[in-house]
Amino acid sequence: MEIFLPTGEWMINQGLVGFVRIARKAGHHIEMKQDGICFDSSIFNTMAKDYFTYFLEKFSVADRDETRLKKILSRCRKEETFKEAKKKLDESLKRIWDKAKNYCSDTAEGTEMSLLIEQIKGYDQFEDIEQIEKEVNRYLDLLKTPFINEKQTVNFFKLSILQPYFGQNSFLNISLNKLAIEEQIQRIHQDYIVPILCELKLKQLLMNAEDENQLLSWLKECPYKPIKNLHKTWKKTSLADIRENENEQFLSCSFFDEWYAFEHLNEGHFVPLQVSSSNALNYFWDFDNEMKIPISNLAKFILFCAPAGAALSPNGNQSSFVQIDGSMNKLFEVNERYALLREEENPLNEIIFDLVTELKEKGNANHRNYLFIDYSSDYRSRKTILNYFDLPRSLSRFFVNEHELLKRMHYSLRNALAYDFLTRRDAKWRIFNVLRQCIEKKYSSLDAQTAVVVRHLYQKYLEGDGDVKIDSKTESKSIWFLYNCGREVRQKYVEKGQEPKVQGIAYRLLNATKANNKKTFMDSLIRVYMSLELPMPSLFLQVLHEEKLDFATVANAFIAGLVSQPNDKQPEGGNE
């Protein structure tokens, strides 16, 4: 039977992405549609095992320990860092053993691992590096022994990855931790897959049963109690009447409306929602706590796949997801790339910038609305911390179209500005601080000037609400003109042998700008031009009426030019 599941709310979309990842990892075919996914129902025959295997391989403790130890070994190979790295290596090996010994201390592998730790600890000379590497590699081989690695990994992903999403439901109950892997897989199949198979069978029989006896016979033996109970309801009803009143007898699933709902959404289905309290009146329809949100077992399982759809922090305690408008294929692609960037432990604002600009370079960005969701949950304290960054089409267009300009700046300033834009904080305050550093330490002011241009363009994109065409060269032309006015004034002071005056003037102008004191700024500027016997450009009238450029843009561009260094070279095309 072919099943189609449409996209929807972010948690369902995250579940769909996770379902696709799990299914494809197991070799199943999933077809991406414009507004959802399509697959054959036979996929559920092995889905419990596929689900468990996905997390077992994705979060292999031995693989993660190997990555850490190899990084430390690379530092041990350098004589200048050997002692420090060797101490860290010994500590890491001991920490890894303290976890592993719970599963293998009384085995031959465990005994050998314990001896290896003591032997490696005894090496304290750089000349011993080859022997250290040999024995560490043997230690890692033992750590990868299936019964050691699998047991550690299962306990890790159950506790750190899945429990924050589902509490102790089903196989996540701590009382079941001693079960063998096959027994835990069977528990997933029984609790999540069997109800779906029963829902599928019910749909098929309601469509294709020859008479009511065929339907009632199956209902009597159905292993899923809510459907089995229909036998009592229908035992004296004809198949024709059952079909005629079918839609009146069932609630539709709130997420997939073509499926019937036999359960109600609660925290056990998705802990971050925190919705099961009977006192949470805003959760209930018309404030009636008897009318909860109906959910099908299929939607329940899709939510169960949500952890696989998230971009997770290394320790698994923080989840992130990107919700976009557009096709399921684009949604999946964006989250695949996002997960890779997230695993590299980059700051969120840097990840967002890199993600959007990379999609542009691949020709896959279409000025979409992005919603970046970042959250963590603790089911024991009933607490969820959720942060989100809305990236509307206007800001998406800005990042996509101006990414080359943004890349001209040092990455620390670029990422800081990206954070300001995402959080709707005016970047002029950050530019003030950068200019002060340029004045105090005589740094190049090109990054500061580029930031002034970037801030102005950002404002224009927001004004256009994503639809108005922005001519970046035209918009930045006046700003670079003001920058060059500042350079001209500086050069005049240099020619007069009065360069030290520049710093004092720059401080005075910057302080007036920060205080939004236009009168003081203009008075100081007029005195500067009069003392140098230079005509004052009419563009400075923007300070007063701010028709095309705001006060901060005019002032900061001039100050950036005033404190520029001799080798600061205006980028090509900056002022045409």
Side-chain angles (χ1 to χ4, degrees), residues 251 264-265 275-294:
L251 293 173
H264 292 107
L265 185 65
V275 295
S276 67
S277 173
S278 59
N279 294 322
L281 294 180
N282 61 318
Y283 160 64
F284 302 112
W285 186 260
D286 283 344
F287 304 111
D288 181 356
N289 62 8
E290 295 302 317
M291 295 185 66
K292 300 179 181 179
I293 298 175

Side-chain angles (χ1 to χ4, degrees), residues 174-198:
I174 56 174
S175 65
L176 304 180
N177 282 351
K178 293 184 179 180
L179 292 180
I181 287 178
E182 287 302 322
E183 293 175 303
Q184 297 195 50
I185 291 173
Q186 182 57 36
R187 188 62 183 262
I188 295 174
H189 181 78
Q190 189 64 38
D191 293 344
Y192 286 91
I193 305 303
V194 167
I196 295 174
L197 296 176
C198 291

Side-chain angles (χ1 to χ4, degrees), residues 326-473:
S327 70
M328 178 65 201
N329 196 53
K330 295 299 182 189
L331 177 73
F332 185 78
E333 181 182 349
V334 165
N335 279 283
E336 284 288 272
R337 179 57 185 155
Y338 186 51
L340 289 174
L341 291 168
R342 188 73 166 163
E343 287 174 4
E344 295 171 3
E345 301 185 60
N346 295 322
L348 183 60
N349 46 300
E350 183 175 344
I351 289 173
I352 293 172
F353 173 77
D354 287 350
L355 176 67
V356 176
T357 54
E358 179 176 308
L359 291 174
K360 162 66 175 178
E361 290 164 1
K362 288 184 175 180
N364 292 330
N366 191 26
H367 311 319
R368 305 175 186 280
N369 287 317
Y370 293 78
L371 181 64
F372 294 85
I373 302 156
D374 197 61
Y375 60 98
S376 62
S377 294
D378 185 346
Y379 78 97
R380 288 161 295 192
S381 63
R382 302 172 71 85
K383 180 180 180 181
T384 294
I385 299 174
L386 184 147
N387 296 301
Y388 63 88
F389 296 97
D390 179 27
L391 192 67
R393 287 182 64 241
S394 54
L395 191 50
S396 174
R397 279 186 72 219
F398 166 75
F399 279 129
V400 167
N401 294 342
E402 309 303 336
H403 71 285
E404 290 297 337
L405 179 61
L406 284 156
K407 285 183 176 180
R408 289 179 187 170
M409 293 181 286
H410 188 271
Y411 74 90
S412 60
L413 177 57
R414 179 190 72 214
N415 294 329
L417 288 174
Y419 181 81
D420 289 340
F421 299 152
L422 289 165
T423 55
R424 309 301 190 268
R425 182 179 186 269
D426 194 335
K428 69 181 182 182
W429 302 103
R430 195 174 303 280
I431 296 170
F432 291 153
N433 293 332
V434 175
L435 284 171
R436 186 168 293 278
Q437 290 286 310
C438 293
I439 297 169
E440 290 177 358
K441 300 182 179 180
K442 297 184 178 180
Y443 291 156
S444 167
S445 64
L446 273 179
D447 270 5
Q449 169 64 4
T450 303
V452 175
V453 174
V454 164
R455 173 181 171 270
H456 173 70
L457 292 175
Y458 162 76
Q459 292 174 326
K460 288 296 178 183
Y461 275 92
L462 288 191
E463 287 174 10
D465 197 27
D467 296 317
V468 178
K469 182 176 177 60
I470 306 295
D471 188 335
S472 301
K473 289 185 177 180

Side-chain angles (χ1 to χ4, degrees), residues 468-567:
V468 178
K469 182 176 177 60
I470 306 295
D471 188 335
S472 301
K473 289 185 177 180
T474 300
E475 290 292 340
S476 63
K477 186 174 182 179
S478 297
I479 302 174
W480 282 106
F481 174 79
L482 291 163
Y483 171 84
N484 287 327
C485 287
R487 284 181 64 85
E488 181 184 18
V489 167
R490 177 186 181 83
Q491 185 59 34
K492 286 293 182 181
Y493 277 113
V494 170
E495 291 172 359
K496 286 186 162 195
Q498 297 177 346
E499 186 176 2
K501 286 187 176 182
V502 170
Q503 187 178 50
I505 295 169
Y507 273 127
R508 190 158 61 249
L509 293 175
L510 184 61
N511 289 335
T513 307
K514 288 184 70 174
N516 199 35
N517 192 329
K518 300 177 184 179
K519 183 178 184 302
T520 299
F521 180 88
M522 288 299 290
D523 287 347
S524 298
L525 196 62
I526 290 169
R527 286 199 298 270
V528 165
Y529 272 92
M530 288 180 65
S531 68
L532 295 175
E533 298 180 347
L534 287 174
M536 186 171 173
S538 60
L539 190 57
F540 282 108
L541 291 175
Q542 287 288 333
V543 169
L544 301 175
H545 53 71
E546 298 186 284
E547 287 183 0
K548 294 182 179 179
L549 300 173
D550 69 346
F551 173 38
T553 299
V554 174
N556 287 338
F558 179 80
I559 296 169
L562 185 64
V563 300
S564 62
Q565 298 302 304
N567 293 329

